[in-house]
Amino acid sequence: MGDVVAPVLAEPVRAAPPASASGVAGASARREFERRRAKREERVRADHPKLGGFLLAVSEAPQSTRAWDVGARGEERLGKGLDRLRCDRLLLLHDRRIPRSRANIDHLAVTASGVFVIDAKKYGGRPQLKVEGGVLRPRVERLLVGSRDCTKLVDGVLKQVDVVRSLLSEDIPVLGVLCFVEAEWPLFGGAFTTRGVQALWPKKLYPQLQGDGLLTADKITEIHRTLAEALTPA
């Protein structure tokens, strides 16, 4: 009787998490907008019992309140686009709370080429990089959107990148992205990188997330689980 050869069992493939595990894009910004709007309505109606409804109908909420609505719509729009790309090699997390902070991360995309930390912005105007110095003076890079200096946005993304890097092993690439969903980009070119953070728009971002890389589907699922446990929904 010949030798019996035991069958070789394939290594089990870790199932990708359900789409619901990604969270809801723009959820915390939407809640804050609704809270501020309700508080304003309550105050106006209390101060003007007879005319409160009329005053609310003919006046706008303050800019500080409307900004939350604008931000939420930007995150929601980008979140829908990202969700359409979801597969076992592109997993997402939306609106995640940074530990010991009131700040949040808009979107995280765990892909074959690494983790993308994505900050969504719904700004008008054309994003551009302005460089000063570099020869006799220190090089300074500033991010402008139209005439508005938005360099602090880069600082914010870099802080988010540092948070994500602290949760993962050193061999996992972590990349920062500022994604402007309604900016005035030129027909050719336009995207740029400043201090390691990419500034671009959704259609320019999506191919990067779908590109090839060294991370397997199992590894992507593992990283996604680690980040989901450490960064809870905001």
Side-chain angles (χ1 to χ4, degrees), residues 1-10:
M1 182 174 180
D3 294 336
V4 177
V5 179
V8 178
L9 300 178

Side-chain angles (χ1 to χ4, degrees), residues 23-74:
V24 180
S28 61
R30 178 62 58 201
R31 287 196 307 271
E32 180 62 16
F33 169 69
E34 297 295 347
R35 185 191 70 81
R36 288 174 177 241
R37 183 171 66 173
K39 186 175 181 180
R40 173 177 177 262
E41 180 174 343
E42 179 183 354
R43 183 178 64 253
V44 171
R45 291 186 182 278
D47 293 343
H48 306 278
K50 295 182 179 181
L51 297 176
F54 172 77
L55 293 175
L56 289 167
V58 299
S59 63
E60 278 192 326
Q63 194 279 334
S64 57
T65 296
R66 287 182 281 118
W68 288 97
D69 180 45
V70 172
R73 285 189 280 119

Side-chain angles (χ1 to χ4, degrees), residues 214-225:
L214 299 177
L215 299 181
T216 64
D218 273 7
K219 186 63 176 179
I220 290 169
T221 301
E222 177 186 325
I223 294 170
H224 181 271
R225 181 177 296 110

Side-chain angles (χ1 to χ4, degrees), residues 204-220:
K204 191 78 170 179
L205 170 63
Y206 297 156
Q208 293 192 40
L209 304 182
Q210 297 172 300
D212 293 332
L214 299 177
L215 299 181
T216 64
D218 273 7
K219 186 63 176 179
I220 290 169

Side-chain angles (χ1 to χ4, degrees), residues 28-29 31 68 75 95-107 119 121 155-157 159-160 163 230-234:
S28 61
R31 287 196 307 271
W68 288 97
E75 293 178 43
D95 201 15
R96 315 308 285 196
R97 177 74 64 196
I98 296 177
R100 299 175 297 279
S101 170
R102 297 179 64 184
N104 72 303
I105 298 175
D106 291 346
H107 311 280
D119 196 2
K121 295 299 176 188
D155 299 330
V157 173
K159 290 178 182 178
Q160 295 174 21
V163 169
L231 304 170
T232 56

